[in-house]
Amino acid sequence: MFLTLFSCESKKKQPEPKPYKAGVILSFDDAYVDEWFDADKDLKKYSWKATFCVCRIDSIGAPQIDKLLQLQKEGHEIAGHGYHHYNAVKFVKKYGIDEYMKQEIDPMIASMKKLPFKVTSFAYPYGERSDELDKALSSKYKIIRGRAFGGQLPKKQNCYFNNSKIVFAFDIDNSHIHFSIPYLLELLDYAKKNNKILILCGHRPVKDVTANYQTKIETLEFICRYMKLNDMKFYTLSDLDNLLPQN
């Protein structure tokens, strides 16, 4: 006689990701506040939303702080980008993770909270990150953004929201080696057809490019027009937190 035993314990179900509409996150790094504010004037007609990742907060003048607060009031996000704008990976390798948090993260959080900015997202300077850094910053921020390095087919790019708090952005500065309008169109098309959120980053919006780390207003207009024609949604980095699977 054989006795077969069955376990009554069911497998723990993994939380389901929340449904969302195809869209784009436009994020900008550093402290080009005047240019960000001017770009907002040009792009208001598209009801756009952006995430401005600010570094060296204590070096920004009072008029620029007022502009950032106005952008936050209008629904844009102000995110962290480092107190000194250190390369996180290189700094940690030389001085350790605790010293990085002490010099780069803690003073940034204190200063931005005092001003006050509602900061729940962080973008790595230069886009360089590590698992160790992600772990250390996860208790401080809800969404952490790195950079997507490479020029591959859209379906192989990691610049789409993947139901994780660690996300990656494709660089739309004119000087970026893999940037072009045709490739950007491919990324947008893939997001639309596959119901994805495309994450993009730039630095200084300008009408005419004269140096590195500049994003043409024409490029931003192209993105906004595409989104309007294809009924896509603007997200900020912090919006992603509401879309993450809940345990």
Side-chain angles (χ1 to χ4, degrees):
M1 180 178 180
F2 296 94
L3 181 64
T4 304
L5 299 176
F6 294 92
S7 172
C8 294
E9 183 180 351
S10 59
K11 291 184 178 179
K12 186 177 180 181
K13 291 186 68 176
Q14 293 295 319
E16 291 289 329
K18 295 181 181 180
Y20 52 80
K21 187 176 181 178
V24 170
I25 291 174
L26 279 171
S27 59
F28 299 87
D29 294 353
D30 295 347
Y32 299 108
V33 180
D34 291 332
E35 289 86 351
W36 296 343
F37 197 77
D38 290 342
D40 181 57
K41 293 177 185 176
D42 291 337
L43 302 173
K44 279 184 192 293
K45 59 181 176 283
Y46 298 105
S47 300
W48 83 315
K49 276 202 298 185
T51 301
F52 301 105
C53 308
V54 184
C55 64
R56 303 185 179 98
I57 188 67
D58 286 341
S59 298
I60 296 175
Q64 286 70 40
I65 293 295
D66 288 342
K67 288 180 178 181
L68 286 174
L69 288 168
Q70 180 62 31
L71 289 169
Q72 179 176 261
K73 185 177 179 181
E74 291 177 4
H76 300 289
E77 179 182 4
I78 308 302
H81 192 50
Y83 190 69
H84 299 283
H85 199 263
Y86 293 145
N87 181 309
V89 173
K90 291 180 180 177
F91 186 96
V92 169
K93 186 176 181 180
K94 190 171 182 179
Y95 300 107
I97 193 78
D98 291 341
E99 193 63 24
Y100 176 78
M101 300 299 286
K102 180 179 177 181
Q103 290 195 35
E104 185 75 338
I105 302 301
D106 294 341
M108 176 182 60
I109 291 174
S111 292
M112 296 188 84
K113 186 177 181 179
K114 185 179 179 180
L115 282 167
F117 293 109
K118 303 168 186 174
V119 179
T120 60
S121 304
F122 178 80
Y124 285 109
Y126 311 103
E128 293 195 31
R129 50 158 294 280
S130 68
D131 291 342
E132 180 187 21
L133 278 159
D134 289 347
K135 184 178 179 181
L137 292 171
S138 287
S139 63
K140 307 283 187 180
Y141 298 100
K142 294 179 178 179
I143 300 295
I144 301 168
R145 199 213 77 200
R147 285 259 305 278
F149 295 101
Q152 305 170 345
L153 294 173
K155 67 180 180 180
K156 293 185 177 181
Q157 272 283 10
N158 61 350
C159 55
Y160 299 97
F161 177 53
N162 60 355
N163 300 312
S164 167
K165 71 182 295 175
I166 313 299
V167 299
F168 303 90
F170 179 78
D171 193 325
I172 56 172
D173 284 342
N174 244 58
S175 57
H176 187 250
I177 188 171
H178 296 297
F179 170 76
S180 69
I181 291 295
Y183 185 62
L184 176 60
L185 179 59
E186 287 186 46
L187 294 175
L188 288 164
D189 283 343
Y190 186 82
K192 174 61 180 175
K193 292 174 184 176
N194 295 277
N195 204 58
K196 300 283 188 180
I197 298 174
L198 172 64
I199 305 166
L200 303 171
C201 68
H203 289 82
R204 184 180 187 178
V206 296
K207 290 184 178 179
D208 299 303
V209 172
T210 58
N212 293 335
Y213 300 106
Q214 295 183 346
T215 306
K216 290 188 76 171
I217 288 288
E218 183 181 350
T219 299
L220 301 177
E221 292 261 12
F222 173 81
I223 294 166
C224 290
R225 286 196 299 269
Y226 181 98
M227 293 179 67
K228 187 172 183 179
L229 287 170
N230 289 277
D231 189 31
M232 293 172 72
K233 180 178 178 179
F234 280 109
Y235 294 88
T236 62
L237 284 176
S238 62
D239 287 335
L240 299 180
D241 181 58
N242 296 323
L243 304 178
L244 290 172
Q246 300 299 312
N247 290 310

